[in-house]
Every structure is written in structure tokens, then in C-alpha cells.
Amino acid sequence: DTGVSQDPRHKITKRGQNVTFRCDPISEHNRLYWYRQTLGQGPEFLTYFQNEAQLEKSRLLSDRFSAERPKGSFSTLEIQRTEQGDSAMYLCASDPGLVGYTDTQYFGPGTRLTVL
Amino acid sequence: DAKTTQPTSMDCAEGRAANLPCNHSTISGNEYVYWYRQIHSQGPQYIIHGLKNNETNEMASLIITEDRKSSTLILPHATLRDTAVYYCIALMGAGNMLTFGGGTRLMVKP
């Protein structure tokens, strides 16, 4: 257990429905990352936050995806109008976010999404 | 971040050392070498990282060549629980996303 928690661990939904995932990073970690991992592939970066500011977004993050970190603590990732191609493991990671340092990211267990 | 190249798969006998190579010939001077592993259906687990010097922790040792173009992760006494996909990543600076390649699938056999 790294201290990063994600909820739910599994989600099955029907195509067209909206889903929301939550990530609780390690306490006092300033940076929070979202990644997506499809079967047989390595994780791919989606977006990251420095405190409450969303600083970078991948081109993988279509306009159906939105992420928030309103108080700089937990984060949510919402997918609207889900498609079967959204089926994947969604991973959250956090690091201390100390300016000028290369920090180690610690990952949560992931949320596995299945879109039927 | 520099691209890394790893063998697709490796086998290791239980109790023996597992040596996992990684090539990163285009690595820049301020890029760290990070190793993560991912056991089936779990989130990636941090193992170790280094810049220039060899590093050791309770999980593994990291040997980086003098020219920094390659490195080797060593699991000194592999167990069945070390069966996983191992990722070598070159990472520059804080706040950069991790770029995972295909990794090496290590199978530890009895």
C-alpha cells in the first residue's frame, strides 16, 4: 500500500453513461497525476496537477474527459458519454512536488473501467 | 525525455539474481533513470532510481554505466513474487510525466 487510494476499484458501465473516479493522494503531496493503461500496454499520461492547478494535459484527454482537484487534495476524473474504447485501467499517482527536485511518483491501485 | 529500450521478456530461476538491462543512449545529463514494476492488475510500484552513481535499496540495485547510455536493475535473489513487468524510464526534472515503454516481462520460475 503506497498511501494513494482510488475509488472505485472496478466500474462497469454502459456506453453513453457518465462515470467519475476519485483519487486520494499521499497526504501533503502537491502533485497528482492521472494515467490510463489499456490491456497489454504500459500506462500513458493523461494530465497532472500542481496543487489545484491543472498544468498539463495529454492529447489523449479528449473533451469528454475532465479532471479536477478543487482544494489541492483529492482529484476526480470524469468521463462523459463513455465509449467502448474508454475501457482501461485508470491510474493515479502523486509526488511531493518540491520545486527543483525530481520526485518519485507513487501509484494507487487503479480503477478498472469496463464499458459495455 | 530519452527513449529507453528493454528486452520484451526474460526468465530467471527462483533464488538466482535477475539482471534486467535497459538502453538509454540518448539520455541527457540531468535525466534520471527510474525503475518501476507492475504485478498483474496492480498499479506500478516504484523500485529505485539513479542519476550517475550506482544505487542500492532494500528491493534492488541499479548499476549505471559510466557513459550513462545503459543501466541494469539487479534483483539479488529473485522470488516468485518478483514475476512482473519491469519498466525503465528516463525522467527529467520534477513535474514531468512518466513515459512508459513496453517494459520487460520477468518470469521467475521454480
Side-chain angles (χ1 to χ4, degrees), chain A residues 29-97:
Chain A
H29 272 196
N30 293 324
R31 273 195 297 262
L32 186 150
Y33 305 77
W34 285 99
Y35 293 82
R36 182 174 72 181
Q37 184 173 26
T38 54
L39 206 60
Q41 305 296 315
E44 297 173 291
F45 168 78
L46 290 179
T47 188
Y48 93 92
F49 293 83
Q50 176 81 40
N51 299 311
E52 65 274 9
Q54 188 173 14
L55 294 189
E56 191 158 350
K57 293 192 287 187
S58 160
R59 59 177 174 75
L60 293 176
L61 210 67
S62 76
D63 55 7
R64 295 185 299 105
F65 287 69
S66 63
E68 294 183 341
R69 195 182 181 198
K71 296 183 180 179
S73 57
F74 72 92
S75 176
T76 58
L77 177 68
E78 180 183 16
I79 309 175
Q80 295 182 327
R81 305 180 304 280
T82 53
E83 302 173 355
Q84 288 184 323
D86 297 331
S87 295
M89 174 82 88
Y90 290 85
L91 294 158
C92 175
S94 70
D95 73 35

Side-chain angles (χ1 to χ4, degrees), chain A residues 101-113:
Chain A
Y101 285 88
T102 294
D103 289 320
T104 298
Q105 294 179 36
Y106 295 93
F107 283 80
T111 294
R112 181 164 297 283
L113 172 67

Side-chain angles (χ1 to χ4, degrees), chain A residues 9 31 33 35 37 41-43 45 48 56 89 91 95 98 100-110 112, chain B residues 30 32 34 36 38 40-47 49 87 91-102 105:
Chain A
R9 295 291 307 277
R31 273 195 297 262
Y33 305 77
Y35 293 82
Q37 184 173 26
Q41 305 296 315
F45 168 78
Y48 93 92
E56 191 158 350
M89 174 82 88
L91 294 158
D95 73 35
L98 301 176
Y101 285 88
T102 294
D103 289 320
T104 298
Q105 294 179 36
Y106 295 93
F107 283 80
R112 181 164 297 283
Chain B
N30 56 355
Y32 286 77
Y34 270 78
Y36 283 80
Q38 190 170 27
H40 183 61
S41 294
Q42 298 182 20
Q45 177 189 23
Y46 165 75
I47 302 173
H49 74 283
Y87 296 100
L91 179 65
M92 175 163 51
N96 277 5
M97 73 294 290
L98 296 170
T99 301
F100 291 81
R105 186 172 299 277

